Short mmCIF file of all heavy atoms in Angstrom, two decimals:
data_model
loop_
_atom_site.label_atom_id
_atom_site.label_comp_id
_atom_site.label_asym_id
_atom_site.label_seq_id
_atom_site.Cartn_x
_atom_site.Cartn_y
_atom_site.Cartn_z
N GLU A 301 65.48 76.61 219.42
CA GLU A 301 64.60 75.50 219.78
C GLU A 301 64.67 74.45 218.66
O GLU A 301 64.74 73.28 218.84
CB GLU A 301 63.20 75.91 220.04
CG GLU A 301 62.31 74.76 220.57
CD GLU A 301 60.95 75.28 220.96
OE1 GLU A 301 60.58 76.47 220.72
OE2 GLU A 301 60.12 74.52 221.56
N THR A 302 64.58 74.96 217.40
CA THR A 302 64.58 74.08 216.18
C THR A 302 65.93 73.30 216.13
O THR A 302 65.99 72.10 215.87
CB THR A 302 64.34 74.85 214.97
OG1 THR A 302 63.17 75.51 215.00
CG2 THR A 302 64.35 73.93 213.72
N LEU A 303 66.99 73.95 216.48
CA LEU A 303 68.32 73.39 216.44
C LEU A 303 68.39 72.25 217.52
O LEU A 303 68.96 71.16 217.19
CB LEU A 303 69.43 74.45 216.67
CG LEU A 303 70.84 73.86 216.70
CD1 LEU A 303 71.19 73.04 215.36
CD2 LEU A 303 71.88 75.03 216.88
N LEU A 304 67.88 72.54 218.64
CA LEU A 304 67.94 71.53 219.69
C LEU A 304 67.15 70.28 219.28
O LEU A 304 67.52 69.17 219.57
CB LEU A 304 67.38 72.08 221.02
CG LEU A 304 68.47 72.61 222.07
CD1 LEU A 304 69.29 73.60 221.43
CD2 LEU A 304 67.74 73.07 223.35
N HIS A 305 65.98 70.48 218.67
CA HIS A 305 65.20 69.31 218.14
C HIS A 305 66.07 68.49 217.08
O HIS A 305 65.96 67.29 217.01
CB HIS A 305 63.91 69.82 217.59
CG HIS A 305 62.89 70.29 218.58
ND1 HIS A 305 62.79 69.65 219.82
CD2 HIS A 305 61.99 71.29 218.58
CE1 HIS A 305 61.83 70.33 220.52
NE2 HIS A 305 61.38 71.27 219.82
N GLU A 306 66.71 69.23 216.14
CA GLU A 306 67.52 68.58 215.21
C GLU A 306 68.63 67.76 215.84
O GLU A 306 68.94 66.59 215.47
CB GLU A 306 68.07 69.63 214.26
CG GLU A 306 67.12 70.24 213.30
CD GLU A 306 66.54 69.24 212.29
OE1 GLU A 306 67.26 68.39 211.86
OE2 GLU A 306 65.31 69.39 211.98
N LEU A 307 69.27 68.30 216.83
CA LEU A 307 70.31 67.56 217.54
C LEU A 307 69.80 66.38 218.31
O LEU A 307 70.39 65.34 218.45
CB LEU A 307 71.09 68.49 218.42
CG LEU A 307 71.95 69.58 217.66
CD1 LEU A 307 72.54 70.60 218.71
CD2 LEU A 307 73.14 68.92 216.91
N ASP A 308 68.57 66.56 218.94
CA ASP A 308 67.96 65.44 219.63
C ASP A 308 67.69 64.30 218.60
O ASP A 308 67.87 63.16 218.99
CB ASP A 308 66.63 65.99 220.22
CG ASP A 308 65.92 64.91 221.06
OD1 ASP A 308 66.61 64.18 221.75
OD2 ASP A 308 64.67 64.79 220.89
N ARG A 309 67.13 64.65 217.44
CA ARG A 309 66.94 63.54 216.44
C ARG A 309 68.16 62.89 216.03
O ARG A 309 68.20 61.72 215.62
CB ARG A 309 66.17 64.20 215.26
CG ARG A 309 64.64 64.41 215.43
CD ARG A 309 63.98 64.71 214.15
NE ARG A 309 64.23 66.03 213.73
CZ ARG A 309 63.42 67.03 214.00
NH1 ARG A 309 62.42 66.88 214.81
NH2 ARG A 309 63.70 68.25 213.61
N ALA A 310 69.29 63.60 216.07
CA ALA A 310 70.59 62.99 215.70
C ALA A 310 71.25 62.27 216.84
O ALA A 310 72.24 61.67 216.65
CB ALA A 310 71.50 64.16 215.28
N GLY A 311 70.54 62.27 218.10
CA GLY A 311 71.07 61.53 219.14
C GLY A 311 71.83 62.24 220.24
O GLY A 311 72.55 61.63 220.98
N PHE A 312 71.63 63.61 220.26
CA PHE A 312 72.36 64.37 221.28
C PHE A 312 71.40 65.23 222.06
O PHE A 312 70.53 65.93 221.54
CB PHE A 312 73.41 65.27 220.58
CG PHE A 312 74.51 64.59 219.87
CD1 PHE A 312 74.37 64.31 218.48
CD2 PHE A 312 75.61 64.16 220.55
CE1 PHE A 312 75.36 63.62 217.86
CE2 PHE A 312 76.64 63.49 219.94
CZ PHE A 312 76.52 63.18 218.59
N SER A 313 71.48 65.09 223.39
CA SER A 313 70.69 65.85 224.31
C SER A 313 71.56 67.07 224.87
O SER A 313 72.45 66.94 225.65
CB SER A 313 70.30 64.95 225.52
OG SER A 313 69.59 63.82 225.11
N VAL A 314 71.22 68.20 224.34
CA VAL A 314 71.79 69.49 224.78
C VAL A 314 70.75 70.44 225.17
O VAL A 314 69.61 70.23 225.01
CB VAL A 314 72.68 70.05 223.63
CG1 VAL A 314 73.78 69.10 223.26
CG2 VAL A 314 71.81 70.45 222.44
N SER A 315 71.17 71.56 225.76
CA SER A 315 70.27 72.57 226.23
C SER A 315 70.59 73.92 225.63
O SER A 315 71.57 74.03 224.89
CB SER A 315 70.19 72.65 227.75
OG SER A 315 71.43 73.02 228.23
N SER A 316 69.76 74.94 225.95
CA SER A 316 69.97 76.20 225.30
C SER A 316 69.54 77.32 226.24
O SER A 316 68.63 77.15 227.06
CB SER A 316 69.20 76.28 224.01
OG SER A 316 69.25 77.59 223.51
N GLY A 317 70.21 78.49 226.16
CA GLY A 317 69.75 79.68 226.86
C GLY A 317 69.09 80.63 225.86
O GLY A 317 68.87 81.78 226.16
N SER A 318 68.78 80.11 224.62
CA SER A 318 68.27 80.93 223.58
C SER A 318 66.92 81.51 223.98
O SER A 318 66.06 80.76 224.55
CB SER A 318 68.20 80.20 222.26
OG SER A 318 67.55 80.93 221.30
N SER A 319 66.54 82.70 223.53
CA SER A 319 65.24 83.30 223.75
C SER A 319 64.15 82.39 223.07
O SER A 319 63.08 82.46 223.52
CB SER A 319 65.26 84.70 223.15
OG SER A 319 65.50 84.62 221.70
N CYS A 320 64.53 81.74 222.01
CA CYS A 320 63.48 81.00 221.29
C CYS A 320 63.10 79.66 222.04
O CYS A 320 62.26 79.03 221.53
CB CYS A 320 63.99 80.66 219.87
SG CYS A 320 64.32 82.16 218.93
N THR A 321 63.72 79.30 223.08
CA THR A 321 63.32 78.13 223.82
C THR A 321 62.42 78.46 224.94
O THR A 321 62.08 77.60 225.74
CB THR A 321 64.55 77.37 224.35
OG1 THR A 321 65.23 78.17 225.33
CG2 THR A 321 65.52 77.03 223.24
N SER A 322 62.08 79.71 225.15
CA SER A 322 61.25 80.12 226.25
C SER A 322 59.85 80.53 225.64
O SER A 322 59.71 81.12 224.70
CB SER A 322 61.91 81.34 226.91
OG SER A 322 60.98 81.90 227.80
N SER A 323 58.84 80.17 226.51
CA SER A 323 57.47 80.51 226.09
C SER A 323 57.31 82.03 226.10
O SER A 323 56.38 82.47 225.54
CB SER A 323 56.50 79.76 226.99
OG SER A 323 56.70 80.17 228.39
N THR A 324 58.14 82.66 226.86
CA THR A 324 57.99 84.19 226.96
C THR A 324 58.74 84.89 225.81
O THR A 324 58.59 86.05 225.72
CB THR A 324 58.48 84.72 228.30
OG1 THR A 324 59.89 84.30 228.39
CG2 THR A 324 57.76 84.10 229.45
N LEU A 325 59.52 84.14 225.02
CA LEU A 325 60.28 84.74 223.97
C LEU A 325 61.21 85.86 224.44
O LEU A 325 61.38 86.89 223.81
CB LEU A 325 59.38 85.20 222.87
CG LEU A 325 58.67 84.09 222.05
CD1 LEU A 325 57.63 84.67 221.12
CD2 LEU A 325 59.68 83.26 221.33
#
Side-chain angles (χ1 to χ4, degrees):
E301 186 173 14
T302 304
L303 179 56
L304 262 58
H305 288 322
E306 288 294 323
L307 291 171
D308 183 44
R309 280 193 284 270
F312 294 96
S313 301
V314 299
S315 62
S316 174
S318 172
S319 59
C320 298
T321 62
S322 168
S323 60
T324 60
L325 292 172

